[in-house]
Amino acid sequence: MVTLLLLTHPDLAVSRANRALFAGLNALPGLEVAELYALYPNEQINVAVERERLLRAGRLVLQFPLYWYSTPPLLKRWQDAVLTPLFYQEPDIAALTAGLPVLAATTTGGPSASYQPDGTAGTIEALFAPLKATARKCGWLWQEPFALHDVRNLDDAALARAGDSYRSVILSAPMMKPRFKTAV
Ligand SMILES: Cc1cc2nc3c(=O)[nH]c(=O)nc-3n(C[C@H](O)[C@H](O)[C@H](O)COP(=O)(O)O)c2cc1C
């Protein structure tokens, strides 16, 4: 089955942290990558293509740098464009994704102390409440998010270790059993 990675970074060429995490997934079996900003530089998402990807997925990973305590805008746009017609107009097809494990993975400039329950930002789990609610509304299995903090102060070796941890977290997330599609 497919691990679908929606990699949403506006400029991966200048990224350190997200590139390092992605490098950790090298040769991960069944990995399908959709790098949204590269695919859709004008932000016009191909809904049919993205919906097919979603229907192929056995687990879904949303990877992005944290921007103002949220996702970059194109990932929100993906939700609006792909999930809205699927779940509100074609619930029978949407139901084929029921039980899909979904893992949000992010990188932050802020230190880990800011993301503790008593930190200035609060926990990543709490910040991701809209993503979690979306996952639950879709009947998906929300996983504990993966977060890499204080990325500007991590050297290359630390980033490489984070890539290895990220890979392990993804591989230990559940995978949906193969299912048949009735229509597309
Ligand atoms: C527009 C913007 C908003 C940001 N907002 C946050 C934020 O809310 N919290 C935080 O810890 N870091 C924030 N940062 C820092 C990024 O999360 C950090 O640069 C990114 O995770 C680094 O990943 P990269 O090396 O893959 O680009 C922001 C950066 C930008 C450019």
Side-chain angles (χ1 to χ4, degrees):
M1 283 294 282
V2 171
T3 297
L4 173 59
L5 172 65
L6 298 186
L7 178 53
T8 315
H9 190 297
D11 192 356
L12 210 55
V14 301
S15 156
R16 278 186 76 233
N18 282 274
R19 273 164 67 103
L21 292 183
F22 182 49
L25 307 187
N26 184 32
L28 189 126
L31 183 66
E32 177 170 351
V33 182
E35 197 201 326
L36 294 183
Y37 278 99
L39 288 168
Y40 307 115
N42 61 4
E43 305 203 357
Q44 297 305 305
I45 289 174
N46 185 326
V47 176
V49 165
E50 297 308 320
R51 164 193 149 119
E52 273 304 292
R53 264 195 240 284
L54 184 61
L55 289 167
R56 277 198 295 276
R59 62 164 85 97
L60 175 63
V61 180
L62 309 173
Q63 182 191 328
F64 53 90
L66 194 70
Y67 282 178
W68 289 111
Y69 306 105
S70 186
T71 68
L74 193 52
L75 186 53
K76 175 63 165 59
R77 199 173 175 99
W78 177 91
Q79 295 169 63
D80 295 349
V82 179
L83 301 183
T84 312
L86 184 57
F87 281 85
Y88 285 92
Q89 290 160 25
E90 297 184 275
D92 292 348
I93 295 177
L96 294 170
T97 68
L100 181 71
V102 55
L103 173 75
T106 196
T107 60
T108 78
S112 130
S114 300
Y115 294 94
Q116 301 306 308
D118 59 352
T120 50
T123 65
I124 292 289
E125 179 79 19
L127 290 172
F128 287 177
L131 286 176
K132 182 175 181 176
T134 299
R136 291 168 71 143
K137 168 81 178 171
C138 294
W140 299 347
L141 290 182
W142 179 252
Q143 306 293 300
E144 182 184 339
F146 176 94
L148 181 63
H149 297 296
D150 202 11
V151 294
R152 282 185 288 266
N153 290 315
L154 299 181
D155 63 17
D156 290 348
L159 287 174
R161 284 195 299 276
D164 291 342
S165 305
Y166 180 45
R167 180 191 183 87
S168 300
V169 167
I170 290 177
L171 285 173
S172 64
M175 177 74 98
M176 255 177 94
K177 293 196 174 64
R179 74 280 195 195
F180 295 105
K181 289 184 280 177
T182 53
V184 289

